[in-house]
C-alpha cells in the first residue's frame, strides 16, 4: 500500500509500505478516504511540535482529521460496526491511570497519544486502529466526514463555555476551528460575533448567521464587541488564534462573571492584567482535544451541517500529492481554509 511518510523535518515522501495484516482483537482496519490538514500538522511537519506535546518523532504517517471505510473487523468489536461503513476517527488515546484520566478528562491525559501525531495516522491506504476510536458517520462526502475532528474541538470549547441559548459569544479567529465554534455555538442558540484579520474568511461565518468584524486593532475590536453585546461586554469569548494580542483582547472584552475560553494553541506569552481576573472574577478556561461523548456529539453536528462544513474545504489533493498539499497549505495561509487529501 502507499503511505505518505514524514521522514524528517520538512520532508514527506509517498512510498510503498506493507499493508497491515488482519485486524487484531478489538481492532478494525479502515481505508482512509479523506484527511484534513491543520496547523498542528504544519508544526509537526516542520519539526516544531512543542516537547509538551510529545515533540515531532520521525518517521511518522501524519493525518489526525480523518474519515474512511471499514475494510476489516477483528473479534471483539461492538455490534454497530460493519464492513463497508464510513467512520470518523477520534484520534485520542489516553492512559486511563493519571490524574486527569481519573477525573474523567482523558483529553488532558499526561501521557496521551494522538493518531497522526504520536501514532501513524490517515495518510496511507490502510490504517489498523482500536474499534473504540471509530464512529459511524452518515455523510455522503468523506471530506466533510473528516471535519468531525475539528468540530469535536469546537464541541469541547462550547461545552467548557457552557453556552446558553440567547447568549452573546465572541469568536476571535475565523480559521476552521473558529468557524466550527461559530457553528456549534449557533446550534446551541447563541448569537455569535466572529472577528478575523482577513475579511475573506468572514463570509463563511456570515453564512452561519454570525455577525462579523475585520480586526483592525485591539482597542477598536474590544469597543465594537462591547457595543455589540451590550455595555457589560460579551459573557463568553473564545480565542481561536493563539496570538497574544487576541488573547489579551478576549480577556479585556469579556463581561464580569464571564467566561474566556482559550482554544488556539501557541508558545506565545500574553501579558494579562492580573486585576482583570479578580475584578471581573473571570473563568479562564483552556481546551484540549475532546472526550468520547464530545466526539460522538461532533459526528451528529457534522451530519446536520454538511453544507456549511463543506464550504470550509478550500483545496483538495490526492494521496500521491500529500507532500505538495502540506507545502501548499503552509505557503498560502491567506487562501487556505481547509486542505483535504483524498485517499
Ligand atoms: Zn487538527
Ligand atoms: Zn492519563
Amino acid at each position: 500500500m502507499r503511505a505518505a511518510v514524514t521522514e524528517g523535518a520538512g520532508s514527506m515522501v509517498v512510498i510503498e509500505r506493507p499493508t497491515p495484516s488482519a485486524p487484531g482483537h478489538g481492532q478494525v482496519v479502515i481505508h482512509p478516504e479523506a484527511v484534513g490538514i491543520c496547523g498542528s500538522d504544519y508544526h509537526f511537519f516542520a519539526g516544531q511540535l512543542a516537547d509538551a506535546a510529545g515533540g515531532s518523532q520521525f518517521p511518522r504517517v501524519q493525518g489526525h482529521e480523518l474519515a474512511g471505510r471499514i475494510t476489516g473487523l477483528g473479534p471483539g468489536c461492538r455490534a454497530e460496526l460493519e464492513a463497508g461503513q464510513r467512520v470518523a476517527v477520534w484520534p485520542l488515546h489516553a492512559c486511563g491511570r493519571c490524574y486527569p484520566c481519573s477525573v474523567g478528562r482523558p483529553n488532558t491525559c499526561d501521557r496521551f497519544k494522538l493518531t497522526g501525531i504520536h501514532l501513524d495516522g490517515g495518510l496511507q491506504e490502510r490504517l489498523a486502529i482500536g474499534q473504540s476510536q471509530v464512529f459511524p458517520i452518515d455523510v455522503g462526502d468523506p471530506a466533510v466526514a473528516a471535519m468531525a475532528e475539528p468540530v469535536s474541538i469546537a464541541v469541547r470549547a462550547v461545552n467548557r463555555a457552557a453556552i446558553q441559548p440567547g447568549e452573546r459569544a465572541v469568536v476571535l479567529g475565523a480559521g476552521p476551528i473558529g468557524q466550527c465554534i461559530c457553528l456549534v455555538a449557533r446550534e446551541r442558540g447563541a448569537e455569535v460575533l466572529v472577528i478575523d484579520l482577513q475579511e475573506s474568511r468572514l463570509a463563511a461565518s456570515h453564512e452561519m448567521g454570525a455577525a462579523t468584524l475585520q480586526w483592525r486593532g485591539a482597542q477598536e475590536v474590544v469597543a465594537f464587541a462591547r457595543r455589540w453585546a451590550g455595555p457589560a461586554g460579551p459573557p463568553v469569548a473564545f480565542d481561536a488564534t493563539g496570538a497574544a494580542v487576541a488573547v489579551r483582547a478576549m480577556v479585556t472584552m469579556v463581561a464580569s462573571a464571564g467566561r474566556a475560553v482559550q482554544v488556539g494553541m501557541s508558545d506565545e506569552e500574553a501579558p494579562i492584567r492580573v486585576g482583570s481576573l479578580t475584578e471581573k472574577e473571570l473563568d479562564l478556561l483552556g481546551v484540549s482535544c475532546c472526550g468520547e461523548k464530545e466526539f460522538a456529539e461532533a459526528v451528529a453536528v457534522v451530519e446536520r451541517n454538511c453544507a456549511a462544513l463543506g464550504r470550509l474545504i478550500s483545496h483538495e489533493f490526492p494521496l500521491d500529492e500529500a507532500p505538495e498539499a502540506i507545502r501548499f497549505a503552509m505557503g498560502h495561509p491567506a487562501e487556505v481554509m481547509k486542505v483535504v487529501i483524498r485517499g
Side-chain angles (χ1 to χ4, degrees):
M1 67 165 187
R2 284 169 307 148
V5 180
T6 306
E7 294 187 313
S11 163
M12 184 189 282
V13 289
V14 180
I15 56 172
E16 283 292 321
R17 273 196 160 183
T19 305
S21 44
H25 189 89
Q27 265 196 336
V28 296
V29 171
I30 65 170
H31 166 212
E33 298 174 290
V35 177
I37 300 294
C38 84
S40 31
D41 291 305
Y42 309 168
H43 293 303
F44 184 95
F45 180 75
Q48 294 166 343
L49 211 66
D51 286 340
S56 303
Q57 305 273 326
F58 306 115
R60 175 70 62 235
V61 176
Q62 294 186 235
H64 62 278
E65 302 180 359
L66 73 143
R69 281 198 192 276
I70 295 179
T71 60
L73 297 103
C77 290
R78 60 194 198 278
E80 67 165 333
L81 299 179
E82 46 189 69
Q85 210 168 31
R86 180 162 291 147
V87 291
V89 171
W90 178 45
L92 181 85
H93 308 256
C95 81
R97 293 182 300 277
C98 67
Y99 169 71
C101 282
S102 76
V103 295
R105 290 168 66 173
N107 53 310
T108 65
C109 172
D110 294 334
R111 290 183 286 269
F112 79 34
K113 291 188 177 353
L114 293 169
T115 291
I117 302 278
H118 312 95
L119 306 165
D120 281 349
L123 289 178
Q124 52 186 337
E125 288 182 300
R126 291 289 184 276
L127 173 67
I129 193 162
Q131 63 94 28
S132 57
Q133 310 296 134
V134 300
F135 290 68
I137 184 163
D138 185 11
V139 164
D141 182 352
V144 172
M147 294 294 288
E149 201 279 336
V151 168
S152 76
I153 311 297
V155 170
R156 178 72 187 159
V158 168
N159 284 351
R160 291 281 278 159
I163 279 205
Q164 302 302 309
E167 270 192 322
R168 293 199 164 225
V170 172
V171 178
L172 290 145
I177 296 287
Q179 303 284 0
C180 291
I181 293 171
C182 173
L183 177 70
V184 177
R186 293 284 299 143
E187 270 211 328
R188 302 273 178 101
E191 296 297 326
V192 180
L193 168 65
V194 181
I195 301 169
D196 197 276
L197 271 171
Q198 283 170 245
E199 200 159 21
S200 60
R201 294 191 159 230
L202 295 169
S205 311
H206 186 73
E207 285 192 53
M208 294 172 191
T212 59
L213 176 71
Q214 188 179 8
W215 173 287
R216 289 202 189 85
Q219 265 193 335
E220 184 194 324
V221 157
V222 168
F224 184 95
R226 295 192 140 240
R227 275 200 308 278
W228 172 78
V236 182
F238 300 89
D239 174 68
T241 71
V245 62
V247 174
R248 286 182 76 179
M250 167 177 74
V251 169
T252 308
M253 74 171 61
V254 79
S256 291
R259 294 92 80 197
V261 186
Q262 186 58 41
V263 192
M265 294 188 285
S266 82
D267 289 328
E268 286 188 40
E269 298 193 2
I272 286 168
R273 190 177 148 268
V274 174
S276 51
L277 299 181
T278 53
E279 288 151 20
K280 295 204 222 178
E281 206 175 52
L282 282 192
D283 287 345
L284 188 52
L285 302 159
V287 171
S288 170
C289 308
C290 79
E292 187 177 0
K293 277 197 187 128
E294 284 154 330
F295 198 86
E297 202 179 329
V299 165
V301 171
V302 174
E303 288 174 339
R304 288 193 295 268
N305 295 280
C306 289
L309 291 165
R311 282 195 286 272
L312 301 181
I313 297 163
S314 56
H315 299 81
E316 298 188 12
F317 293 81
L319 179 61
D320 282 334
E321 292 173 21
E324 288 78 15
I326 193 158
R327 279 192 208 100
F328 180 86
M330 292 173 77
H332 298 81
E335 286 165 57
V336 164
M337 180 61 80
K338 175 62 70 186
V339 168
V340 168
I341 297 168
R342 290 194 189 259

